[in-house]
Amino acid sequence: MPLDAQDWVPYDEGHRWQAHASYFETRGIRAWTEGDIPYRATNNHAFAHQHAVLLLALVESLQTEGRATLETRIQVLELGGGLGDFCVGVLLALRDELGEAGRALFDRVSYVFTDVSRLSLEQAVQRAALAGFIASGHVLPALVDARAPSVAHTLDGEAVTLAPWAVLANYLCCVLPTKVFRKRAETWLELHSRHRPPLTADAPSSEPETTEEAARWRTLLGEHAWLPVDPRETFRGAHHAALLEEVLAQRVEAELAYPYAFMELLDSFLTRMPHGGVFLFSDFEDG
């Protein structure tokens, strides 16, 4: 059955983005195990080992500065954990590869392993290596939506308090809602899209693709349009518009993708992380 026409909506609310989000909610860990998503660049042991080295150096620094003691529990929060290979790699490195100091930190770490997809989380926690760390009490699985990260709960619905010393994530920024803007002097335009039923053979398009740019956006969005907006009225907080204007203050014309949901994620943890905590995010993107 063809879908009804959709009015123009910002790119981050369009049908392609909705399909992108629902993919992770329904595909589960098969997205990785069956080769849909390349992930070895950040889910290999060497990469996880280096994060363990950084965590150990962080905690030693916090202890030297008197912000933590040898008894302080160190909560580590991983967002968008997927398969769980990265989590397992970090904990193995602490336990087996970084000497007595690493082993001591391993015994103090409370690793909150999260994903937005219940299906992915349920499947990941059944994998042998991760299940072992859950059974030993080193890993707590939880559901967290990075678009609303103040809410976290276990698969059984129990609330989880988040106050991490370190927030870890791989390929998170690129899967969170993003807005796309153009600046033309004092005018701001935002990329919008709408979905139309597919054309039939006897109903040719009335809007032929005449430029390379049109073809590129049509491939991504279907129908698209750049519509005038006021950034100060587009976001929930005024700081987004102020940041955009500051970054592009010296440019008469510009185009950029702005990961506002990722910025809101960072803001949400600044008041909940202990002083001296760190964000360690890896994201290969060209937007």
Side-chain angles (χ1 to χ4, degrees):
M1 177 181 297
L3 297 175
D4 292 334
Q6 181 181 0
D7 291 335
W8 293 110
V9 296
Y11 162 63
D12 59 303
E13 300 172 21
H15 66 282
R16 289 294 179 97
W17 196 274
Q18 292 169 5
H20 165 269
S22 65
Y23 168 85
F24 289 99
E25 295 172 4
T26 59
R27 189 79 169 105
I29 65 172
R30 290 181 300 164
W32 293 272
T33 59
E34 295 184 1
D36 293 7
I37 300 175
Y39 65 97
R40 287 298 180 189
T42 55
N43 282 264
N44 62 74
H45 189 72
F47 192 73
H49 175 96
Q50 190 61 29
H51 277 72
V53 172
L54 287 168
L55 286 173
L56 182 57
L58 169 68
V59 173
E60 290 177 343
S61 176
L62 293 170
Q63 291 169 179
T64 299
E65 296 172 7
R67 300 182 187 182
T69 70
L70 292 173
E71 289 73 39
T72 302
R73 293 291 294 175
I74 304 298
Q75 186 185 87
V76 176
L77 171 64
E78 183 181 354
L79 298 169
L83 277 177
D85 286 359
F86 177 76
C87 167
V88 169
V90 171
L91 293 175
L92 286 176
L94 287 175
R95 189 189 69 183
D96 301 335
E97 301 168 14
L98 297 178
E100 294 183 5
R103 176 70 193 193
L105 179 55
F106 170 80
D107 290 334
R108 295 161 54 194
V109 162
S110 175
Y111 197 113
V112 184
F113 172 79
T114 76
D115 204 277
V116 66
S117 166
R118 172 176 283 272
L119 178 61
S120 290
L121 191 63
E122 289 174 339
Q123 293 175 339
V125 300
Q126 295 175 14
R127 305 182 81 217
L130 187 58
F133 284 127
I134 295 170
S136 68
H138 289 90
V139 172
L140 175 64
L143 291 165
V144 174
D145 186 339
R147 296 165 294 186
S150 60
V151 179
H153 53 85
T154 66
L155 287 168
D156 294 329
E158 183 179 351
V160 177
T161 300
L162 300 180
W165 287 94
V167 180
L168 316 179
N170 302 312
Y171 295 116
L172 182 69
C173 181
C174 61
V175 298
L176 288 176
T178 296
K179 289 183 175 292
V180 183
F181 293 101
R182 279 180 174 174
K183 179 186 178 185
R184 295 293 182 265
E186 300 301 317
T187 300
W188 287 83
L189 306 170
E190 182 177 356
L191 184 65
H192 286 64
S193 68
R194 65 178 175 182
H195 184 77
R196 287 290 184 89
L199 295 173
T200 61
D202 57 351
S205 172
S206 61
E207 300 179 35
E209 295 171 355
T210 57
T211 66
E212 180 180 348
E213 180 191 41
R216 176 169 58 89
W217 284 117
R218 191 175 296 276
T219 299
L220 175 65
L221 299 171
E223 282 194 287
H224 75 278
W226 293 95
L227 302 181
V229 295
D230 182 346
R232 291 167 294 184
E233 299 176 358
T234 300
F235 298 104
R236 287 175 290 187
H239 62 290
H240 289 296
L243 178 58
L244 286 172
E245 291 172 355
E246 179 180 351
V247 169
L248 299 180
Q250 305 303 317
R251 293 185 176 271
V252 176
E253 294 188 357
E255 182 177 306
L256 81 162
Y258 178 59
Y260 69 95
F262 182 76
M263 302 300 292
E264 291 174 354
L265 168 70
L266 298 180
D267 286 343
S268 73
F269 279 110
L270 290 178
T271 58
R272 287 184 285 150
M273 293 180 70
H275 187 55
V278 296
F279 297 101
L280 297 175
F281 292 167
S282 301
D283 209 294
F284 302 138
E285 184 54 87
D286 61 1

Coordinates of all heavy atoms in Angstrom, one line a residue, residues 39-80:
Y39 N 32.4 -2.6 11.7 CA 32.6 -2.1 13.1 C 33.9 -2.4 13.7 O 34.3 -2.0 14.8 CB 31.5 -2.7 14.0 CG 31.5 -4.2 14.2 CD1 32.2 -4.7 15.3 CD2 31.0 -5.0 13.2 CE1 32.2 -6.1 15.4 CE2 31.0 -6.4 13.4 CZ 31.6 -6.9 14.5 OH 31.7 -8.3 14.7
R40 N 34.8 -3.2 12.9 CA 36.0 -3.6 13.5 C 37.0 -2.5 13.9 O 37.9 -2.6 14.7 CB 36.7 -4.6 12.6 CG 36.0 -6.0 12.6 CD 36.1 -6.6 13.9 NE 35.4 -8.0 13.9 CZ 35.2 -8.7 15.0 NH1 35.5 -8.2 16.2 NH2 34.6 -9.8 14.9
A41 N 36.8 -1.3 13.2 CA 37.8 -0.2 13.5 C 37.7 0.2 14.9 O 38.7 0.6 15.5 CB 37.4 0.9 12.5
T42 N 36.6 0.1 15.5 CA 36.4 0.5 16.9 C 36.1 -0.6 17.9 O 36.1 -0.5 19.1 CB 35.4 1.6 17.1 OG1 34.1 1.1 16.6 CG2 35.8 2.9 16.4
N43 N 35.8 -1.8 17.3 CA 35.5 -2.9 18.1 C 36.5 -4.0 18.0 O 36.2 -5.2 17.8 CB 34.1 -3.5 17.8 CG 33.0 -2.7 18.4 OD1 32.5 -3.0 19.5 ND2 32.6 -1.6 17.8
N44 N 37.8 -3.6 18.1 CA 38.9 -4.6 18.1 C 39.6 -4.4 19.4 O 39.5 -3.5 20.1 CB 39.8 -4.3 16.9 CG 40.5 -3.0 16.9 OD1 41.4 -2.7 17.8 ND2 40.0 -2.0 16.1
H45 N 40.4 -5.4 19.7 CA 41.0 -5.5 21.1 C 42.0 -4.4 21.3 O 42.1 -3.8 22.4 CB 41.6 -6.8 21.4 CG 42.0 -7.0 22.8 ND1 41.0 -7.1 23.9 CD2 43.2 -7.0 23.4 CE1 41.7 -7.2 25.0 NE2 43.0 -7.1 24.8
A46 N 42.8 -4.1 20.3 CA 43.8 -3.0 20.5 C 43.1 -1.7 20.8 O 43.7 -0.9 21.7 CB 44.6 -2.9 19.2
F47 N 42.0 -1.4 20.2 CA 41.3 -0.1 20.4 C 40.8 -0.1 21.8 O 40.9 0.9 22.6 CB 40.2 0.0 19.4 CG 39.6 1.4 19.4 CD1 40.2 2.5 18.8 CD2 38.3 1.6 19.9 CE1 39.6 3.7 18.8 CE2 37.7 2.8 19.8 CZ 38.4 3.9 19.3
A48 N 40.2 -1.2 22.3 CA 39.6 -1.3 23.6 C 40.8 -1.3 24.6 O 40.6 -0.6 25.7 CB 38.9 -2.7 23.8
H49 N 41.9 -1.9 24.3 CA 43.0 -1.9 25.3 C 43.5 -0.4 25.5 O 43.8 -0.1 26.6 CB 44.2 -2.7 24.7 CG 45.4 -2.6 25.5 ND1 45.8 -3.6 26.4 CD2 46.5 -1.7 25.5 CE1 47.0 -3.2 26.9 NE2 47.4 -2.1 26.4
Q50 N 43.5 0.4 24.4 CA 44.0 1.7 24.6 C 43.0 2.5 25.5 O 43.4 3.4 26.3 CB 44.1 2.4 23.2 CG 44.8 3.8 23.3 CD 46.2 3.7 23.8 OE1 46.9 2.7 23.7 NE2 46.7 4.7 24.5
H51 N 41.7 2.3 25.4 CA 40.8 2.9 26.2 C 41.0 2.5 27.7 O 40.9 3.3 28.6 CB 39.3 2.6 25.8 CG 38.8 3.4 24.7 ND1 39.3 3.3 23.4 CD2 37.9 4.4 24.7 CE1 38.6 4.2 22.7 NE2 37.8 4.9 23.4
A52 N 41.4 1.2 27.9 CA 41.7 0.8 29.3 C 42.9 1.5 29.8 O 42.9 1.9 31.0 CB 41.9 -0.7 29.3
V53 N 43.9 1.7 29.0 CA 45.1 2.5 29.4 C 44.7 3.9 29.8 O 45.1 4.5 30.8 CB 46.1 2.5 28.3 CG1 47.3 3.5 28.6 CG2 46.6 1.1 28.0
L54 N 43.8 4.5 29.0 CA 43.4 5.9 29.3 C 42.6 5.9 30.6 O 42.7 6.9 31.4 CB 42.5 6.4 28.2 CG 43.3 6.8 26.9 CD1 42.3 7.0 25.7 CD2 44.1 8.1 27.1
L55 N 41.7 5.0 30.8 CA 40.9 4.9 32.1 C 41.8 4.8 33.3 O 41.6 5.4 34.3 CB 40.0 3.7 32.0 CG 38.7 3.9 31.1 CD1 38.0 2.6 31.0 CD2 37.8 5.0 31.6
L56 N 42.8 3.9 33.2 CA 43.8 3.7 34.3 C 44.5 5.0 34.6 O 44.7 5.4 35.7 CB 44.7 2.6 33.9 CG 45.8 2.2 35.0 CD1 45.1 1.9 36.3 CD2 46.6 1.1 34.6
A57 N 45.0 5.7 33.5 CA 45.7 7.0 33.7 C 44.8 8.0 34.3 O 45.2 8.8 35.2 CB 46.3 7.4 32.4
L58 N 43.5 8.0 33.9 CA 42.6 9.0 34.5 C 42.4 8.8 35.9 O 42.5 9.7 36.7 CB 41.2 8.8 33.7 CG 40.0 9.6 34.4 CD1 40.2 11.1 34.3 CD2 38.7 9.1 33.8
V59 N 42.1 7.5 36.3 CA 41.9 7.3 37.8 C 43.1 7.5 38.6 O 43.0 8.1 39.7 CB 41.4 5.8 37.9 CG1 41.3 5.4 39.4 CG2 40.1 5.6 37.2
E60 N 44.3 7.2 38.1 CA 45.5 7.5 38.8 C 45.7 9.0 39.0 O 46.1 9.5 40.1 CB 46.7 6.9 38.1 CG 46.7 5.4 38.2 CD 47.9 4.8 37.4 OE1 48.5 5.5 36.6 OE2 48.2 3.6 37.7
S61 N 45.3 9.8 38.0 CA 45.4 11.2 38.1 C 44.4 11.8 39.1 O 44.7 12.7 39.9 CB 45.1 11.9 36.7 OG 45.1 13.3 36.8
L62 N 43.2 11.2 39.1 CA 42.1 11.7 40.0 C 42.6 11.4 41.4 O 42.3 12.2 42.4 CB 40.8 10.9 39.7 CG 40.1 11.3 38.4 CD1 39.0 10.3 38.1 CD2 39.6 12.7 38.4
Q63 N 43.2 10.2 41.7 CA 43.7 9.9 43.0 C 44.8 10.8 43.4 O 44.9 11.3 44.6 CB 44.2 8.4 43.0 CG 43.0 7.5 42.9 CD 43.4 6.0 42.6 OE1 42.6 5.2 42.5 NE2 44.7 5.8 42.6
T64 N 45.7 11.1 42.5 CA 46.8 12.0 42.8 C 46.3 13.4 43.2 O 46.9 14.1 44.1 CB 47.8 12.2 41.6 OG1 48.3 10.9 41.3 CG2 48.9 13.2 41.9
E65 N 45.2 13.9 42.6 CA 44.7 15.2 42.8 C 43.7 15.2 44.0 O 43.2 16.2 44.4 CB 44.0 15.7 41.6 CG 44.9 15.9 40.4 CD 44.1 16.2 39.1 OE1 42.9 16.4 39.2 OE2 44.8 16.3 38.1
G66 N 43.5 14.0 44.6 CA 42.6 13.9 45.7 C 41.1 13.9 45.4 O 40.2 14.0 46.3
R67 N 40.7 13.7 44.1 CA 39.3 13.7 43.7 C 38.7 12.3 43.9 O 37.5 12.2 43.9 CB 39.2 14.2 42.3 CG 39.7 15.6 42.0 CD 39.5 16.0 40.6 NE 40.1 17.2 40.3 CZ 40.1 17.9 39.1 NH1 39.4 17.3 38.1 NH2 40.7 19.0 38.9
A68 N 39.6 11.3 44.0 CA 39.1 9.9 44.2 C 40.1 9.2 45.1 O 41.3 9.6 45.2 CB 39.0 9.2 42.9
T69 N 39.6 8.2 45.8 CA 40.5 7.4 46.7 C 40.6 6.0 46.1 O 40.0 5.6 45.1 CB 39.9 7.3 48.1 OG1 38.7 6.5 48.0 CG2 39.5 8.7 48.6
L70 N 41.4 5.2 46.8 CA 41.6 3.8 46.3 C 40.3 3.0 46.5 O 40.2 1.9 46.0 CB 42.7 3.2 47.1 CG 44.1 3.7 46.9 CD1 45.1 3.1 47.8 CD2 44.5 3.4 45.4
E71 N 39.4 3.5 47.2 CA 38.1 2.8 47.4 C 37.0 3.3 46.6 O 35.9 2.7 46.5 CB 37.7 2.9 48.9 CG 38.5 2.1 49.9 CD 39.9 2.7 50.1 OE1 39.9 4.0 50.2 OE2 40.9 2.0 50.2
T72 N 37.2 4.4 45.8 CA 36.1 5.0 45.0 C 35.7 4.0 43.9 O 36.5 3.5 43.2 CB 36.6 6.3 44.4 OG1 37.0 7.2 45.4 CG2 35.4 6.9 43.6
R73 N 34.4 3.8 43.9 CA 33.8 3.0 42.7 C 33.8 3.9 41.5 O 33.4 5.0 41.5 CB 32.4 2.6 43.0 CG 32.3 1.6 44.2 CD 32.9 0.2 43.8 NE 32.1 -0.5 42.8 CZ 32.5 -1.6 42.2 NH1 33.6 -2.2 42.6 NH2 31.7 -2.2 41.3
I74 N 34.3 3.3 40.4 CA 34.4 4.1 39.1 C 33.4 3.6 38.2 O 33.5 2.5 37.6 CB 35.8 3.9 38.5 CG1 36.9 4.3 39.5 CG2 35.9 4.7 37.2 CD1 36.9 5.8 39.9
Q75 N 32.3 4.4 38.0 CA 31.3 4.0 37.0 C 31.8 4.4 35.6 O 32.2 5.6 35.4 CB 30.0 4.7 37.3 CG 28.8 4.2 36.4 CD 27.5 5.0 36.6 OE1 27.3 6.0 36.0 NE2 26.7 4.4 37.5
V76 N 31.7 3.5 34.7 CA 32.0 3.7 33.3 C 30.7 3.5 32.5 O 30.1 2.4 32.7 CB 33.1 2.8 32.8 CG1 33.3 3.0 31.3 CG2 34.4 3.1 33.5
L77 N 30.3 4.4 31.7 CA 29.1 4.3 30.9 C 29.4 4.2 29.4 O 30.1 5.1 28.9 CB 28.2 5.5 31.2 CG 26.9 5.7 30.3 CD1 26.0 4.6 30.5 CD2 26.3 7.0 30.5
E78 N 28.9 3.1 28.8 CA 29.1 3.0 27.4 C 27.7 3.2 26.7 O 26.7 2.5 27.1 CB 29.6 1.6 27.0 CG 29.8 1.5 25.4 CD 30.4 0.2 24.9 OE1 30.7 -0.6 25.8 OE2 30.4 0.0 23.7
L79 N 27.6 4.1 25.8 CA 26.4 4.4 25.1 C 26.4 3.7 23.7 O 27.4 3.7 23.1 CB 26.2 5.9 24.9 CG 26.1 6.7 26.2 CD1 26.1 8.2 25.9 CD2 24.8 6.4 26.9
G80 N 25.3 3.1 23.3 CA 25.2 2.5 22.0 C 26.2 1.3 21.9 O 26.9 1.1 21.0

